[in-house]
Amino acid sequence: MKLNILGCYSATPRTFTNPTSQVLELRNHLFLIDCGEGTQVQLRKNRVKFSRIKHIFISHLHGDHYFGLVGLISTFRLLKREADLHIYGPKGLKDVITLQMKLSDSWTNYNLYFHELTSKDSELIFEDDKVEVHTIPLQHRVYTNGFLFKEKEGERKLDMAAVLNADIDVAYYRKLKQGFDVENKKGIVIKNESVTLPPSPPKSYAFCSDTAYDEAKIPIIKDVDVLYHESTFLEKNENLCEPTKHSSAKQAATIAKKANVGTLILGHYSTRYDDINLFKEEAQTIFKNVELADDGKVFEF
Amino acid sequence: MKLNILGCYSATPRTFTNPTSQVLELRNHLFLIDCGEGTQVQLRKNRVKFSRIKHIFISHLHGDHYFGLVGLISTFRLLKREADLHIYGPKGLKDVITLQMKLSDSWTNYNLYFHELTSKDSELIFEDDKVEVHTIPLQHRVYTNGFLFKEKEGERKLDMAAVLNADIDVAYYRKLKQGFDVENKKGIVIKNESVTLPPSPPKSYAFCSDTAYDEAKIPIIKDVDVLYHESTFLEKNENLCEPTKHSSAKQAATIAKKANVGTLILGHYSTRYDDINLFKEEAQTIFKNVELADDGKVFEF
């Protein structure tokens, strides 16, 4: 599981900071999460292969989370993309994008699927044989979802020394990985556990931006390996959290602690602060395992 | 007259090139012309003061000419702008912008005026006591206008030695600049021409992007001091001009020559070429006074 932060500052793009966007690599998927203005250039700078992005998740329709989407869709067209593209985001997103395509008379030559979200409850929005993606309803000034990415239980691993020793035909390896007992070349039943090892524990990542402090999401993100939680403000400006429906570093840490997550990544910093290390310091008074997102940073878990 | 090129490459924004946007400084106005994705960051990098921009001109609704507009409008709001903002562009632009403001529930706290264009003939769209702006209908795949910026005739200049010698009261200086004859302190009528000099010749700038080769615009841009004309292609790809409704460097130079302009600035280069100097070389076989636009370049005239 690899997380590439393309942008993690709130509000306006500036010379050296970018609005929210990140790429999560999970079981060969490249999931793009949010898409502020300039995301396509950030993708290039971070050498992310455009064609591998097949699913884009938009948390909400504030500009710093999606103004780069229409340009990315348009660039995919100019690059003669053929693969389908799935976009998950709040109702209204399809209208905005299609209106701009209509006015420019520039329709995509690839299939574009909008999955518009309206539910206030968590729902499963993507699933294949390797991963699941669920929404995480968040409390913000407009309709907003975070996203929970979960690996499914993987296949068992072959203990090759034991497998060879048991004299099992290679044709049965697939069944072994799937957990079945098999017969060896002499017709003797071999217990699966005797020749395989358990799969790696499935990993999970929760993206929560933007949101006020809200414990309602804790059951959904409980025990995730990694939680990205916005922390727009430091404690001295905590009075701004309620009117703007944002969180402070300490509030993010409190959620991380109560949800028993592995690692907390902070981001969505207000650009009023010169030193983002203060976010980490404040959060660590409550929850120890804190990392700071920053544009261009890559986390591997 | 100062022209700051923020971006001048066609199609997709890339790590080191930006889509079309430029700032024209003319008689204390800062006119923003086109606004591709990333323009607000380019404005910052080029240290253009946001608050001085009061008029934005959008040539057409292809993304590389306006996808940065909604973000700029939104940033103006976050920066607590109070001054009015006037936007001139094709019909449809208002719908795109207001739909996005509605979905984000983020209305501007300053007055935003849309001047939507639909005419296929050149029209006067802005005028004050110093400058005029006219549309230049262009031939492209969608409805497109270039823009002609013209200084008005300025005031006459005082020939101070002659003025003092003629013993004219300072109260009459204003009338002298306006071209009137005045009486001196002894009641003698002083001929205006004897104590003033003609005003500097008014300057003019024509922006023409994007457009196929089209001589219909020549009467409108005749004799301008500076013409920015798109040159998407080199001669070897001239076959692409007609289907895409773009121009080659030679075609741009032919228009410059027939319109008898002072200086031709080329831009809107296709990103397929590594060396933009080839555009200048090809154009100069037809018209001598050619300059190359490039991101961050400033021309003073």
Side-chain angles (χ1 to χ4, degrees):
Chain A
M1 184 165 77
K2 199 166 109 178
L3 180 68
N4 191 342
I5 307 292
L6 303 176
C8 67
Y9 288 80
S10 73
T12 73
R14 300 178 307 168
T15 306
F16 300 109
T17 67
N18 295 277
T20 303
S21 186
Q22 42 186 256
V23 178
L24 178 71
E25 187 168 349
L26 191 65
R27 294 273 182 100
N28 254 326
H29 284 290
L30 277 197
F31 296 123
L32 183 67
I33 309 166
D34 279 350
C35 192
E37 184 175 349
T39 294
Q40 58 177 311
V41 174
Q42 282 295 94
L43 286 168
R44 287 185 193 273
K45 285 185 183 169
N46 287 271
R47 299 181 184 282
V48 178
K49 220 173 160 197
F50 283 17
S51 60
R52 285 192 59 202
I53 298 171
K54 303 206 167 94
H55 302 273
I56 302 177
F57 300 86
I58 301 294
S59 63
H60 65 300
L61 298 185
H62 281 157
D64 56 328
H65 293 257
Y66 90 104
F67 279 168
L69 181 60
V70 66
L72 186 63
I73 289 171
S74 163
T75 290
F76 283 164
R77 178 180 58 77
L78 291 168
L79 297 176
K80 306 199 189 303
R81 178 191 179 99
E82 290 182 355
D84 294 352
L85 181 64
H86 294 267
I87 297 173
Y88 310 77
K91 189 165 168 54
L93 186 55
K94 182 178 177 179
D95 282 351
V96 173
I97 302 296
T98 51
L99 175 58
Q100 290 177 89
M101 291 198 290
K102 183 181 150 206
L103 287 169
S104 64
D105 196 19
S106 306
W107 302 95
T108 61
N109 34 15
Y110 55 92
N111 291 320
L112 192 55
Y113 297 97
F114 288 93
H115 305 265
E116 290 196 313
L117 307 174
T118 54
S119 175
K120 291 184 172 176
D121 299 316
S122 176
E123 44 180 3
L124 177 68
I125 54 173
F126 173 76
E127 181 176 23
D128 66 6
D129 57 344
K130 295 181 207 153
V131 299
E132 289 179 0
V133 185
H134 300 256
T135 58
I136 308 169
L138 300 177
Q139 296 303 316
H140 195 41
R141 303 195 304 279
V142 294
Y143 175 74
T144 304
N145 287 293
F147 301 102
L148 171 64
F149 301 85
K150 283 165 74 172
E151 283 185 335
K152 289 186 174 177
E153 183 89 9
E155 294 187 323
R156 294 187 68 82
K157 294 173 182 169
L158 299 184
D159 177 348
M160 279 315 295
V163 168
L164 292 171
N165 193 44
D167 201 21
I168 300 167
D169 192 287
V170 74
Y172 288 111
Y173 286 5
R174 182 98 231 118
K175 278 213 153 310
L176 283 175
K177 288 182 183 170
Q178 291 166 350
F180 295 100
D181 299 339
V182 299
E183 284 186 5
N184 73 356
K185 290 178 185 167
K186 291 171 194 140
I188 300 164
V189 172
I190 308 292
K191 280 283 183 200
N192 189 288
E193 295 75 18
S194 68
V195 293
T196 67
L197 302 166
S200 311
K203 288 182 176 154
S204 54
Y205 171 67
F207 169 87
C208 294
S209 185
D210 297 358
T211 184
Y213 179 82
D214 175 28
E215 299 191 355
K217 64 179 166 290
I218 292 176
I220 306 169
I221 63 174
K222 191 89 184 145
D223 300 326
V224 294
D225 293 291
V226 183
L227 167 65
Y228 175 95
H229 195 291
E230 73 126 297
S231 58
T232 307
F233 299 113
L234 291 174
E235 197 173 17
K236 64 178 174 185
N237 301 112
E238 212 165 71
N239 62 310
L240 297 175
C241 288
E242 180 46 36
T244 62
K245 303 288 182 196
H246 283 299
S247 300
S248 69
K250 279 196 174 182
Q251 290 173 338
T254 305
I255 295 292
K257 187 179 181 185
K258 294 196 175 188
N260 188 41
V261 311
T263 301
L264 168 65
I265 302 178
L266 296 177
H268 203 266
Y269 319 111
S270 163
T271 51
R272 78 189 62 208
Y273 307 113
D274 290 329
D275 180 10
I276 61 171
N277 288 303
L278 299 172
F279 288 90
K280 187 170 180 174
E281 283 172 23
E282 289 194 4
Q284 283 186 322
T285 62
I286 288 168
F287 181 83
K288 198 174 159 229
N289 201 6
V290 177
E291 299 279 352
L292 291 174
D294 210 352
D295 300 5
K297 214 164 170 178
V298 177
F299 297 96
E300 296 204 46
F301 298 98
Chain B
M1 185 165 76
K2 199 166 109 178
L3 180 69
N4 190 341
I5 306 292
L6 303 176
C8 68
Y9 287 80
S10 72
T12 74
R14 299 179 307 169
T15 306
F16 301 108
T17 67
N18 295 277
T20 302
S21 186
Q22 43 186 255
V23 178
L24 178 72
E25 187 169 350
L26 191 65
R27 294 273 182 102
N28 254 325
H29 284 290
L30 277 198
F31 295 123
L32 182 67
I33 308 166
D34 279 350
C35 192
E37 184 175 350
T39 293
Q40 58 177 311
V41 174
Q42 282 296 93
L43 285 167
R44 286 186 193 273
K45 285 185 182 168
N46 288 270
R47 299 180 185 284
V48 178
K49 221 174 159 197
F50 283 18
S51 60
R52 285 192 60 202
I53 297 171
K54 303 206 167 92
H55 302 273
I56 302 178
F57 300 86
I58 301 294
S59 63
H60 65 299
L61 298 185
H62 281 157
D64 56 328
H65 294 257
Y66 89 105
F67 279 168
L69 180 61
V70 66
L72 186 63
I73 289 171
S74 164
T75 291
F76 283 163
R77 179 179 59 75
L78 292 167
L79 296 176
K80 305 199 189 303
R81 177 192 180 99
E82 290 181 353
D84 295 352
L85 181 65
H86 293 266
I87 297 173
Y88 309 78
K91 189 166 169 52
L93 187 55
K94 182 178 178 179
D95 282 351
V96 173
I97 301 296
T98 52
L99 175 59
Q100 290 177 90
M101 292 198 290
K102 183 181 153 208
L103 287 169
S104 64
D105 195 20
S106 307
W107 302 96
T108 61
N109 35 15
Y110 55 91
N111 291 319
L112 191 56
Y113 297 97
F114 287 93
H115 304 266
E116 291 196 313
L117 307 174
T118 53
S119 175
K120 292 187 172 174
D121 299 316
S122 176
E123 44 180 3
L124 177 69
I125 55 173
F126 173 75
E127 180 176 23
D128 66 6
D129 58 343
K130 295 180 206 152
V131 299
E132 289 179 0
V133 185
H134 300 255
T135 58
I136 308 168
L138 299 178
Q139 296 303 316
H140 195 40
R141 303 195 303 277
V142 294
Y143 176 73
T144 304
N145 287 294
F147 301 102
L148 171 65
F149 301 84
K150 283 164 73 173
E151 284 184 333
K152 289 186 174 177
E153 181 89 9
E155 293 187 322
R156 295 187 67 83
K157 293 173 181 168
L158 300 183
D159 177 349
M160 278 316 293
V163 168
L164 293 172
N165 194 43
D167 201 20
I168 300 168
D169 192 286
V170 73
Y172 288 110
Y173 286 5
R174 181 99 232 116
K175 279 217 153 301
L176 282 177
K177 287 182 184 171
Q178 290 167 349
F180 294 100
D181 299 340
V182 299
E183 284 186 7
N184 74 356
K185 290 177 185 167
K186 291 171 193 140
I188 300 164
V189 172
I190 307 294
K191 280 284 183 200
N192 189 287
E193 295 75 20
S194 68
V195 292
T196 67
L197 302 167
S200 311
K203 287 180 176 157
S204 54
Y205 171 66
F207 169 86
C208 294
S209 185
D210 298 357
T211 184
Y213 180 81
D214 175 29
E215 299 192 354
K217 65 179 167 290
I218 292 176
I220 306 168
I221 64 173
K222 191 87 185 149
D223 301 326
V224 293
D225 293 292
V226 183
L227 166 66
Y228 175 94
H229 195 291
E230 72 125 295
S231 57
T232 307
F233 299 112
L234 292 174
E235 196 172 18
K236 64 179 173 184
N237 301 113
E238 212 164 71
N239 62 311
L240 298 175
C241 289
E242 180 47 36
T244 61
K245 302 287 182 198
H246 281 300
S247 300
S248 68
K250 279 196 173 181
Q251 289 173 340
T254 304
I255 295 292
K257 186 179 181 185
K258 292 195 175 187
N260 189 42
V261 311
T263 301
L264 167 65
I265 302 179
L266 297 177
H268 202 267
Y269 318 111
S270 164
T271 51
R272 78 190 62 209
Y273 308 113
D274 292 328
D275 180 9
I276 61 173
N277 289 304
L278 298 172
F279 288 90
K280 187 170 179 173
E281 283 173 22
E282 289 194 5
Q284 283 186 322
T285 62
I286 288 167
F287 181 82
K288 198 174 161 228
N289 201 6
V290 177
E291 299 278 351
L292 291 174
D294 210 353
D295 300 5
K297 213 164 172 178
V298 177
F299 297 95
E300 296 204 46
F301 297 98

